[in-house]
Amino acid sequence: MKKKPTVLPALTAAAAVLAILSIVVFTLENQKNISSSNREYLLDSTSQMAVLVDDSLMHGSTNIQVLSGLAGELLTSPDIDVAALQRILDDSIFDFIEFTDREGKNHNTTGGVSEANDRRYYLDAMRGNSGVELIFNSRATNETLLAFYSPVYYQGGIIGSLLGAYKETDQLNELLTMDVFGYRAEAYLCNEDGLIIASNQNIDTTREVSIKAVLGPRTLADADTAGLIYKNETKVVPLAGNETGACVMGLANSDWYIVQIFPEQANRMMVANANRIGIVLAVFLVAILAVLLVLTYLILNQSRSETQKALVKAEAVSKAK
C-alpha cells in the first residue's frame, strides 16, 4: 500500500512562510509609521522652539525700550553720562549696554568709545525706530552679538540710542535644545539670508556660515538646497541617511527661522525596539499556530484511525454474515 504524504510538514512550512512575510511587512510598515510620527514630533518640537526664541527676542526688544525710556526720564541735559546710568543698567538682562550719541559714537559704561555711524541700529534708531540687529564679528568683542536698540529722547528730540547686546552663545544656544532618548537634535537659528546666527553645534558664527554650506551636502540628490532657506512656508527637507529630515520653520515676529533635525540614532533605536517587540509577538503567534496545527493534526489523525478501525470492523461483520 502506497504511503500517503503527511500533511503536517506542509502546514508547518506554510506557517513559517506566513510568519516570515508578516515580520517583513510589519518591519516595513513599522519603519514608515515611526518615521511619520517622528516627523510630526519634529514639527511640534520646532514650533515650540520657535516660540521660545521668538519670546526671547521680544523680551529683549521690550527690555531695551523700557530702559531707553527710563534713561530719557533721568536726563537733565542732552549730554548723556553713561556712567550715571549704571544704576539702571546693572540689573538688565544684557551682557553689556552702550549709548550711541548723535554723531554715531558708542559709549560703554567703562568709558570706552567706538564708531557706530555705519551700523544699521544707529541709523534706524535715529529715525525713531526700535529693533534688533545681528552683528557678526563685533568690533568690540570679535563675537557674534544680538544688539537690541531703541532711541533715547530728551525734551521730545532724539539725542541718540541705547544699545543692549548679548552673546548668542550665552542666550540663544540654550534655547536650541531637544533631546530624544538621550540623543541631541541638531538645531540652527538662521537669518533671512540663511546665515547661521546660533546653533547647538560647534560652529563659528563669526565666519558668517550659511546653512546651505552645512546641510547642503547632506540633502538628497533630488532635493533642492534652496529649501533650506525659509520662504514663508514650513517644510521638511529630506536628508541622506536620515529618515525624518530637517524641519525649516520661521519665527512669528521676525524674518529669522529655525532648522532642526531629528536625531537619526533615536529613529533607528525606536524602529529597532518596535521591530524587536513585533518579532517576539510574531514568534509567539507562530508558536501558538504551530501548537494548534499539531493538535489539529493529532485529532484528525486519531479520528481517521478510529474511522478506519470502524470500517475494518464493519467489513469483518459483513463477511461473517
Side-chain angles (χ1 to χ4, degrees), residues 57 60-61 64-65 120-121 124-125 129-133 147-151 162-164:
L57 295 177
S61 296
I64 197 64
Q65 291 177 49
R120 184 177 68 85
Y121 65 78
D124 198 35
N129 299 320
S130 300
V132 57
E133 180 178 358
F148 298 86
Y149 59 88
S150 184
L162 202 63
L163 175 76

Side-chain angles (χ1 to χ4, degrees), residues 132-305:
V132 57
E133 180 178 358
L134 174 66
I135 302 175
F136 291 106
N137 202 7
S138 165
R139 297 165 186 165
T141 65
N142 297 319
E143 296 174 287
T144 299
L145 301 177
L146 286 179
F148 298 86
Y149 59 88
S150 184
V152 177
Y153 292 87
Y154 177 73
Q155 295 182 350
I158 298 176
I159 62 170
S161 64
L162 202 63
L163 175 76
Y166 58 68
K167 306 171 185 178
E168 48 87 10
T169 53
D170 291 343
Q171 299 289 335
L172 295 180
N173 284 359
E174 297 178 2
L175 303 178
L176 301 176
T177 301
M178 181 185 80
D179 287 341
V180 182
F181 297 113
Y183 297 103
R184 174 173 291 189
E186 291 180 57
Y188 306 87
L189 175 64
C190 306
N191 70 359
E192 62 275 14
D193 297 320
L195 297 179
I196 298 174
I197 300 169
S199 172
N200 61 3
Q201 303 298 299
N202 187 22
I203 293 179
D204 183 5
T205 56
T206 62
R207 297 173 56 192
E208 302 186 36
V209 181
S210 170
I211 189 66
K212 290 199 291 186
V214 175
L215 296 183
R218 294 165 57 184
T219 57
L220 292 179
D222 58 347
D224 188 0
T225 57
L228 295 171
I229 306 297
Y230 180 72
K231 297 296 183 184
N232 300 317
E233 180 185 3
T234 297
K235 64 184 69 175
V236 176
V237 179
L239 298 178
N242 188 293
E243 291 291 335
T244 310
C247 178
V248 179
M249 182 177 294
L251 303 184
N253 299 296
S254 173
D255 293 332
W256 298 352
Y257 64 97
I258 288 175
V259 178
Q260 186 172 214
I261 302 172
F262 192 92
E264 180 59 19
Q265 302 96 317
N267 183 71
R268 287 198 297 264
M269 184 189 72
M270 294 169 71
V271 171
N273 288 342
N275 286 344
R276 189 179 301 111
I277 294 173
I279 291 172
V280 170
L281 289 175
V283 171
F284 181 70
L285 291 175
V286 168
I288 293 177
L289 179 60
V291 170
L292 291 176
L293 287 174
V294 170
L295 291 176
T296 302
Y297 175 78
L298 292 175
I299 292 172
L300 290 175
N301 192 50
Q302 182 179 0
S303 176
R304 184 175 58 188
S305 177

